Amino acid sequence: MKHKGILIVISGFSGAGKGTLVKQLMKTYNNYALSISMTTRSPRPGESDGVEYFFSTRENFEKKIAEDGLIEYAQYCGNYYGTPKSYVEQQLEAGKDVILEIEIQGALKVKEKLPETLLLFVTPPSAKVLRERLVGRGTETMEVIEQRMSRAVEESQGIEAYDYLVVNDDLQSCTEEIHQIVQSAKCASVRNVEFIDQIRNELEQLSKGDK
Ligand code: 5GP
């Protein structure tokens, strides 16, 4: 039986390397689709509308909330971030495993709404490595880096809500690990209730026929 697509949330501290990991996953395997979020934060150098994010005004974002066009949304360091509903629904329907790269408040909202969602948390091997990566990225001011480090302290309190923890020290092995977790999750009985029902019915029908 063909498995239906599953919804996968990937969270992690800012600077944990989620973006690079997700890109590598999409490049290596063809069963994934990445949801593009909407945000009110300004584009970083090199980012463009519709690629990394749909960049939006607060007014437009609030309109989208009012229309119930988002699966979830959250405020992060003073900006709105949210997941548009329509793309995710289309891709799941088409059998793709859809990745949401979102922060923890959003992840918990998705899990509440759609409990069969797989939640993965990506962390660097240590806090020191995290800080070095944020500084090395060179895209944020020291003030923003400090803001993101203190946000990481808060986020670390919520890691146990995730199904799996993945330590990102080597890109290739971490990519493979995530793919393996996804493949296993697709076989979990909670994600196969339709098949279980179907085989139960078939068994009943067949065993009646035998009598
Ligand atoms: P950044 O500004 O570094 O691109 O993203 C900041 C944080 O917002 C990251 O943790 C990122 O995963 C999260 N984020 C991105 N898109 C969404 C979204 O649609 N919803 C939520 N809740 N968080 C998001």
Side-chain angles (χ1 to χ4, degrees):
M1 187 187 96
K2 186 180 177 300
H3 286 289
K4 273 195 349 202
I6 66 167
L7 193 56
I8 306 153
V9 164
I10 301 188
S11 302
F13 313 123
S14 177
K18 288 162 295 177
T20 317
L21 265 175
V22 169
K23 274 195 199 118
Q24 190 67 15
L25 260 182
M26 308 273 301
K27 212 168 84 183
T28 316
Y29 306 100
N30 60 14
N31 57 307
Y32 296 105
L34 175 63
S35 157
I36 301 175
S37 298
M38 206 171 161
T39 185
T40 58
R41 92 149 156 72
S42 314
R44 293 187 186 126
E47 286 184 340
S48 35
D49 191 45
V51 180
E52 287 80 11
Y53 284 105
F54 294 109
F55 295 99
S56 154
T57 58
R58 287 190 85 82
E59 193 190 1
N60 197 29
F61 197 103
E62 283 165 1
K63 199 168 142 229
K64 195 84 175 172
I65 299 173
E67 285 167 355
D68 195 26
L70 302 173
I71 293 182
E72 60 72 41
Y73 68 93
Q75 301 240 20
Y76 178 94
C77 297
N79 283 301
Y80 275 130
Y81 292 81
T83 307
K85 222 182 232 178
S86 52
Y87 177 81
V88 171
E89 286 174 352
Q90 276 163 23
Q91 294 298 310
L92 286 174
E93 205 57 44
K96 291 279 185 185
D97 298 320
V98 181
I99 301 175
L100 310 184
E101 194 206 310
I102 64 178
E103 54 64 72
I104 190 161
Q105 304 164 61
L108 299 180
K109 283 187 213 157
V110 175
K111 187 81 177 180
E112 208 180 290
K113 253 193 198 167
L114 306 161
E116 69 284 7
T117 305
L118 176 66
L119 299 193
L120 305 181
F121 196 92
V122 179
T123 167
S126 70
K128 192 163 166 274
V129 171
L130 181 67
R131 199 163 199 287
E132 281 165 8
R133 282 191 194 159
L134 279 174
V135 174
R137 193 151 80 177
T139 50
E140 259 93 19
T141 60
M142 279 319 283
E143 192 194 338
V144 171
I145 291 172
E146 293 314 331
Q147 211 181 16
R148 285 176 181 235
M149 284 302 289
S150 53
R151 176 69 189 209
V153 176
E154 282 169 38
E155 287 186 336
S156 69
Q157 298 302 318
I159 299 177
E160 287 91 341
Y162 285 74
D163 298 307
Y164 293 93
L165 175 81
V166 185
V167 178
N168 182 16
D169 45 10
D170 172 73
L171 177 65
Q172 199 51 43
S173 58
C174 194
T175 305
E176 280 163 27
E177 204 173 313
I178 291 179
H179 183 66
Q180 279 163 16
I181 293 171
V182 172
Q183 296 316 301
S184 306
K186 289 172 84 162
C187 298
S189 51
V190 290
R191 295 191 182 85
N192 288 282
V193 283
E194 270 176 39
F195 177 79
I196 296 169
D197 269 353
Q198 181 193 322
I199 195 127
R200 269 194 193 125
N201 285 336
E202 285 174 10
L203 284 165
E204 271 172 30
Q205 293 307 318
L206 264 186
S207 70
K208 272 184 208 151
D210 284 347
K211 280 178 193 160

